[in-house]
Amino acid sequence: MEELRISPADPRGSPGKEQQAAGVGILLQIMMLVLSFVLGHVLRRHRFYYLPEASASLLIGLIVGGLANVSNTENSIRSWFNFHEEFFFLFLLPPIIFQSGFSLQPKPFFSNFGAIVTFAIFGTFVASMITGILVYLAGVSYLIYRLPFVECLMFGALISATDPVTVLSIFQELGTDVNLYALVFGESVLNDAMAISLYRTMSLVRSHMSSDQNIFMVVVRFLETFVGSMSAGVGVGFTSALLFKYAGLDIDNLQNLECCLFVLFPYFSYMLAEGLGLSGIVSILFTGIVMKHYSYSNLSDKSQKFVSAFFHLISSLAETFIFIYMGFDIAMEQHSWSHIGFIFFSILFIGIARAANVFSCAYLINMVRPSHRKISMKHQKALWYSGLRGAMAFALALQSVHDLPEGHGQTIFTATTAIVVLTVLLIGGSTGTMLEALEVVGDGHETPLGESFDANDRYIAPTYEGESSAGNRFKMKLSEFRRSTASFTELDRNYLTPFFTSQSGEDDDRDDIFSDNGRASYH
Amino acid sequence: MEELRISPADPRGSPGKEQQAAGVGILLQIMMLVLSFVLGHVLRRHRFYYLPEASASLLIGLIVGGLANVSNTENSIRSWFNFHEEFFFLFLLPPIIFQSGFSLQPKPFFSNFGAIVTFAIFGTFVASMITGILVYLAGVSYLIYRLPFVECLMFGALISATDPVTVLSIFQELGTDVNLYALVFGESVLNDAMAISLYRTMSLVRSHMSSDQNIFMVVVRFLETFVGSMSAGVGVGFTSALLFKYAGLDIDNLQNLECCLFVLFPYFSYMLAEGLGLSGIVSILFTGIVMKHYSYSNLSDKSQKFVSAFFHLISSLAETFIFIYMGFDIAMEQHSWSHIGFIFFSILFIGIARAANVFSCAYLINMVRPSHRKISMKHQKALWYSGLRGAMAFALALQSVHDLPEGHGQTIFTATTAIVVLTVLLIGGSTGTMLEALEVVGDGHETPLGESFDANDRYIAPTYEGESSAGNRFKMKLSEFRRSTASFTELDRNYLTPFFTSQSGEDDDRDDIFSDNGRASYH
């Protein structure tokens, strides 16, 4: 992995000069950030959904990067814009993932938890394998540039990480079904962890090339990481809940101390997991969920308002910055455009792989689910369509340039870059149209999402009415499902909430006030 | 200047391994931060002023650094703790200085503006020259390690940067005279800018060694930088005020956008000044003052509360982190303790130089001021005593290790390190005792500072009653002073406030609600 240089590489430059270059670099970045925010706001106000905020940021980055490339920019300034994977993984990604967990509505997420895990773990595994095998076969048959099999699997893994930012912001804007929202959201957050884990495992397999690494081991290793990270995240979350319950910091003049500590916990969780060799992403996601549900209610009212707004602000800045940064880097990096065939076929292959992921997993899930909760074909199509690739794929591809031999990494990086730009601009721009065409838009818009959840169960039901003629089995399954979700709710209400919070556990509904939108979580 | 490495230097290490090391490094830092906050809180609650928060943080850093030095810590983790001057100047310093300006009470600051500028510019110049000359003379007479004259002046410049954090937090805690507070605060913020500017100029003189660089040119260059930076800062502040006045972002669901933009402006100002080769510190300080006075009142109520708390939080984190970071680095770096004489004499010399600064400037100021506003001897002594050295001197000394030849830079660095540790621990720990001994404590504690300002004019008056026997001249000067401060207030009320804010300019007092303490600016 390349070193993360914050200062330019010339060691003889005078400090004043270097600091000046850094100043100009950061200045440009701030100006692009401001431009993105303002442009995004103007576009949203005019309900122009063909260019969502993320696409606008990416375009701004691309344009400014292109200009900087044409003009004779000083190298010292230019070096400030290189995309550093470590900076991405250590500083930009954690706030975004934490905010995902923190703004999560636990109800639809947990009621779809099985489906989400199936899509994210099994589905992503299937998708990355299919992509890898197809790329390998196409290489063997001289259709495209030929890569070794393990490298194809690495490409398959990194390109299977989907990005939630663009699609979800449009979902929120238009107001879609909460279940669909929970599926897309949950899948894209968890599959990032799966993709990183798969990529790293493949990378290890490649460097050791030992034959005893089989698929089973990969799966076990992933599950180990996943469960370990989840436990670490939940543990940190519960620790913070107890701290804020007993430290007595919720008096007026200690608000700053309270907020400082609250803000440090998520990052602690991320770094704890990374330090233990686990997945920081999974850990911080669960810390976010637990901290929102338990620690949050132990804060004073002012601190509650503050931390909601704080995490929202930080994650918005990080999100926008990532897209600008990515656009700029795409315009500046060396690309090997000779592999246009590779790009074309990989786009085809990831479409096929995503179809295999979504439709096979949905089939499995629908086999288990009671008929009124089956995932409708419309939702499956929307889920398939929502699989655009973003910063995670980009960061892993950039890493592969350092990991793989000359040429191979470049090919993968160029293909990933092209896929990211195309999917963000095309899929991002057409999500609104797609949602309207599939008629999954409109409900849940006026009413708060928490309420429309029950309404949606009824909404989906008619589509599959014909299948559930066995009224008796239907009712049994229904009550079974209700009982299983009720048991967690009861555990939560009777034991967890009283133990971890200073409330009596009867004011469950107050969460909804803050998490109703995620984009406007600060009231 | 050394490259800022966020990742360790070994290029062959696997990415996972490096990320893990980074994780462990950051994890330790977070744990120390949490420990500092908790320890600081416990000490403050027990009114134990001998170990203020900054000293506690420094000690924690020293202890953990010492342990890490003794144990066999991996190099990759260790590299995460090196103090990087660029990281300090670009990311840790700006929020602290902005918060200084943002939490400033304009009234006592502007009414003491002449005195503050005298202390900060003329006084710091005098102090650094005296320190430099004394160190050079002692070197020539073989008392201490001999450094070239220009390097002595560089040392004099960097060691003249005083640090406000520790002293001011105790001032606030104990509640001292607002005028004294404004003097200490204003001087230490502005003299940082002066010290950097002087250091850089001397560094240029040294590398070019051209004889046409005289003291006059240095002064002109400094004034140029100062006025340029101030204009840039004020300009950015006014731009932000107009943006928030006319953009209409103060409606409810745009709070996040509003806060994002507000948060980006200060950093924009800092980087603009640095990019133009000016002083970012001076620029961001004035942006803070202007944004608080004008832009702030154009925000929605919720955003106002949020941004106050946000800047307070960020600057607390940065402050605490700097002291931990410094302590850790002091324990880890190579020091040349052979120059114990150099350390002893420099401490003596900076005491003399600060006395020359404070008492000569106070003499000059008292010549001009009306007798009821003269700086009392008690305040002069308190001001002399408050000159502890902190992060700015440390960062510049670290830079000098790279700028100066082998041995010279090391000597300066070791001496600075010793001075920082001694002054922070000793002066920081005894400030409370000193303030009580000088009897400048107690007033302004119960009443809000804004009100005690008028009370203080009366409070200082009796000390110098004897001198002002010429009652006529006294009254003339008084009314003159009143007119000069009134004219700015009038300009502000009649033109600036109506132009830059959406208020009518009649609610001037509302600022006091938020800026009454600076430690508790979020209500």
Side-chain angles (χ1 to χ4, degrees), chain A residues 223-262:
Chain A
L223 286 178
E224 222 176 80
T225 307
F226 185 82
V227 174
S229 309
M230 195 174 88
S231 314
V234 171
V236 171
F238 279 145
T239 310
S240 79
L242 289 178
L243 177 86
F244 288 107
K245 185 179 177 185
Y246 292 111
L249 301 175
D250 52 348
I251 55 174
D252 224 34
N253 58 350
L254 289 178
Q255 201 218 334
N256 191 50
L257 177 66
E258 199 179 14
C259 293
C260 279
L261 291 178
F262 197 88

Side-chain angles (χ1 to χ4, degrees), chain A residues 340-406:
Chain A
I340 201 90
F342 192 91
I343 296 168
F344 176 77
F345 279 102
S346 4
I347 293 176
L348 196 69
F349 296 157
I350 62 169
I352 295 170
R354 181 144 184 98
N357 168 355
V358 170
F359 298 116
S360 70
C361 289
Y363 182 77
L364 288 177
I365 295 160
N366 282 343
M367 271 172 50
V368 181
R369 281 195 170 188
S371 58
H372 78 293
R373 293 192 73 245
K374 287 195 196 300
I375 301 169
S376 71
M377 187 45 81
K378 281 176 184 175
H379 283 193
Q380 292 180 29
K381 281 179 187 161
L383 201 54
W384 175 78
Y385 198 78
S386 308
L388 55 81
R389 270 65 175 177
M392 179 62 77
F394 184 80
L396 288 176
L398 198 54
Q399 198 162 299
S400 79
V401 176
H402 310 300
D403 290 351
L404 297 184
E406 192 71 30

Side-chain angles (χ1 to χ4, degrees), chain B residues 426-447:
Chain B
L426 295 184
I427 299 187
S430 60
T431 303
T433 322
M434 177 274 292
L435 290 176
E436 275 161 14
L438 289 174
E439 294 166 11
V440 286
V441 91
D443 51 315
H445 187 42
E446 296 304 318
T447 54

Side-chain angles (χ1 to χ4, degrees), chain A residues 252-309:
Chain A
D252 224 34
N253 58 350
L254 289 178
Q255 201 218 334
N256 191 50
L257 177 66
E258 199 179 14
C259 293
C260 279
L261 291 178
F262 197 88
V263 161
L264 288 173
F265 268 101
Y267 210 53
F268 179 81
S269 153
Y270 188 88
M271 290 305 157
L272 180 69
E274 288 291 323
L276 294 171
L278 300 171
S279 163
I281 293 185
V282 176
S283 179
I284 203 172
L285 175 71
F286 281 94
T287 305
I289 297 171
V290 172
M291 284 184 82
K292 179 59 177 283
H293 206 58
Y294 301 108
S295 322
Y296 185 75
S297 55
N298 293 340
L299 296 179
S300 63
D301 281 352
K302 280 169 189 164
S303 298
Q304 286 188 351
K305 281 182 191 162
F306 176 74
V307 295
S308 301

